[in-house]
């Protein structure tokens, strides 16, 4: 069984991105800028935002941190996003989700200019992804494709099963795997699928993004399958200083015994999500410099 090390892939790609940033700066005098907006103080969101800002700075990019109180209104937040849309020093705008319940997520995403939507969440970018136009691909799904390729798994002609149909992971991963460039045959499972194991046992590639520990077990896999575990779940663990540990959606022990390759959690998909965010931000800055 091969462990698909997202940290190794991510660090190699981040070196390439940093070189691209330095080149853009030297040749065009442009420093890619990413605005990261966090509303409230959800601890998981705070740690994601901190990691994104740190990665941005390590790649030589500029990050503008905007932390807003939980009581910020939808109008205030979309007003800030619109100001950033017009700021030429900012090439990417990221609003950390989830936002507090009184703010409509859709209204916030719709406010982001598709040209600065480095998360790839706006309807325009999602639509372009579906029809194969140039766009910002959503970071986690794009990172998942890179991880499958990095594992040496052939995608074309294989059967891929995706568990989970969220707009930010499951549906776009399924769409990317089914594109002609990837050429997989794709089955998308969700809570309405009566017997998920029936499908996963036929799969060469399983991507599990359900947000539930133990969604995938070794008995549900075909021997030698490649497993990409997207889940990030906190489970109580009194032996750990924080009182919890992070596990994925796959039962690692049993899946590792059957799979040919599997991503660890942490250290699999997570580092790639941030890497693809940096990739999109550099791409956005290059496009702006060329305009
Ligand atoms: P989400 O919006 O909660 O969607 C979960 C999807 O999984 C839903 O479509 C749901 O089905 C389906 N589902 C839930 N339980 C299931 C089960 N037992 N069997 C089959 N399908 C099931 O979650 P998400 O945003 O896609 O995220 C999924 C997981 O990935 C979470 O743990 C999240 O923290 C993690 N994540 C990690 C990264 C990273 O960078 N590492 C990035 C994004 C997300 P229904 O549609 O029927 O409800």
């Amino acid at each position: 069984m091969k462990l698909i090390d997202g940290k190794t892939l991510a660090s190699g790609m981040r070196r390439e991105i940093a070189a691209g940033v330095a080149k853009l700066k030297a040749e065009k005098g442009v420093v890619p800028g990413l605005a990261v907006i966090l509303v409230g103080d959800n601890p998981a969101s705070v740690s994601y935002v901190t990691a994104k800002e740190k990665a941005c700075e390590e790649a030589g990019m500029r990050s503008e941190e905007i932390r807003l109180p939980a009581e910020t209104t939808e109008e205030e937040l979309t007003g800030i996003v619109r100001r950033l849309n017009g700021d030429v020093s900012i090439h990417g705008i990221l609003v950390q989700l989830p936002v507090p319940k009184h703010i409509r997520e859709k209204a916030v995403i719709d406010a982001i200019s598709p040209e600065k939507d480095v998360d790839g969440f706006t309807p325009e970018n999602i639509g372009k992804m579906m029809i194969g136009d140039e766009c910002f691909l959503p970071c986690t799904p794009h990172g998942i494709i890179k991880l499958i390729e990095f594992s040496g798994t052939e995608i074309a002609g294989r059967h891929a099963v995706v568990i989970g149909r969220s707009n930010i992971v499951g549906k776009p991963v399924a769409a990317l795997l089914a594109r002609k460039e990837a050429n997989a045959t794709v089955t998308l499972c969700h809570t309405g699928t009566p017997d998920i194991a029936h499908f996963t046992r036929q799969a060469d590639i399983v991507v599990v993004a359900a947000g539930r520990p133990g969604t995938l077990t070794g008995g549900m896999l075909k021997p030698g399958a490649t497993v990409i575990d997207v889940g990030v779940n906190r489970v109580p663990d009194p032996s750990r200083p924080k009182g919890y540990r992070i596990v994925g959606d796959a039962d690692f022990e049993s899946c590792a015994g059957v799979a040919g390759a599997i991503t660890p959690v942490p250290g699999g998909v997570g580092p790639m999500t941030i890497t693809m965010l940096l990739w999109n931000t550099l791409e956005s800055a290059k496009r702006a410099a060329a305009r």
Side-chain angles (χ1 to χ4, degrees):
M1 192 278 302
K2 178 175 173 181
L3 199 63
I4 310 170
D5 182 357
K7 282 191 200 158
T8 299
L9 175 59
S11 66
M13 287 189 69
R14 287 186 200 188
R15 276 196 297 276
E16 267 177 51
I17 292 167
V21 171
K23 187 165 181 273
L24 188 66
K25 200 169 167 181
E27 290 177 359
K28 306 271 185 186
V30 172
V31 179
L34 175 70
V36 181
I37 307 175
L38 174 64
V39 186
D41 55 4
N42 175 300
S45 294
V46 171
S47 74
Y48 290 143
V49 159
T50 307
K52 287 170 187 175
E53 287 164 349
K54 185 166 167 267
C56 202
E57 277 150 26
E58 281 170 2
M61 299 184 183
R62 193 172 75 79
S63 80
E64 184 172 326
E65 177 189 315
I66 300 172
R67 296 208 178 182
L68 301 168
E71 31 321 323
T72 303
T73 65
E74 185 177 298
E75 290 67 30
E76 284 166 336
L77 179 56
T78 53
I80 291 168
V81 168
R82 289 202 181 89
R83 173 182 66 75
L84 293 165
N85 285 340
D87 181 338
V88 291
S89 71
I90 294 296
H91 305 96
I93 301 170
L94 179 155
V95 180
Q96 183 64 45
L97 301 177
V99 284
K101 287 198 168 47
H102 64 275
I103 300 175
R104 288 170 305 150
E105 201 167 273
K106 181 178 161 25
V108 179
I109 291 171
D110 284 348
I112 300 172
S113 161
E115 286 178 359
K116 297 191 178 185
D117 168 33
V118 287
D119 258 336
F121 287 170
T122 57
E124 182 166 329
N125 278 313
I126 293 170
K128 284 183 170 175
M129 175 188 75
M130 293 305 289
I131 61 174
D133 270 7
E134 189 182 82
C135 63
F136 293 121
L137 294 178
C139 302
T140 302
H142 193 189
I144 290 169
I145 301 294
K146 296 274 179 203
L147 277 168
I148 300 171
E149 290 169 352
F150 175 67
S151 74
T153 305
E154 179 76 34
I155 301 177
R158 313 296 290 283
H159 181 200
V161 168
V162 177
I163 307 175
R165 59 176 159 193
S166 72
N167 288 337
I168 63 165
V169 189
K171 277 193 273 193
V173 169
L176 290 178
L177 286 165
R179 291 206 308 183
K180 200 129 190 169
E181 296 97 299
N183 238 4
T185 301
V186 181
T187 302
L188 182 58
C189 298
H190 41 72
T191 55
T193 309
D195 183 5
I196 291 176
H198 168 76
F199 298 100
T200 53
R201 282 194 198 108
Q202 301 169 40
D204 304 299
I205 298 164
V206 181
V207 178
V208 56
R212 306 257 186 290
T215 302
L216 186 72
T217 57
M220 297 167 71
L221 289 174
K222 173 163 112 177
T226 294
V227 175
I228 305 293
D229 188 354
V230 190
V232 178
N233 307 292
R234 284 184 181 190
V235 295
D237 184 347
S239 73
R240 301 290 173 101
K242 288 184 178 164
Y244 66 85
R245 71 194 149 89
I246 300 291
V247 299
D249 289 347
D251 171 48
F252 188 83
E253 296 265 297
S254 67
C255 287
V258 184
I262 184 168
T263 55
V265 177
V269 175
M272 286 307 293
T273 294
I274 299 184
T275 302
M276 302 326 292
L277 173 73
L278 301 178
W279 168 300
N280 281 349
T281 306
L282 172 59
E283 192 53 41
S284 177
K286 281 188 197 166
R287 289 181 197 167
R291 277 199 285 271

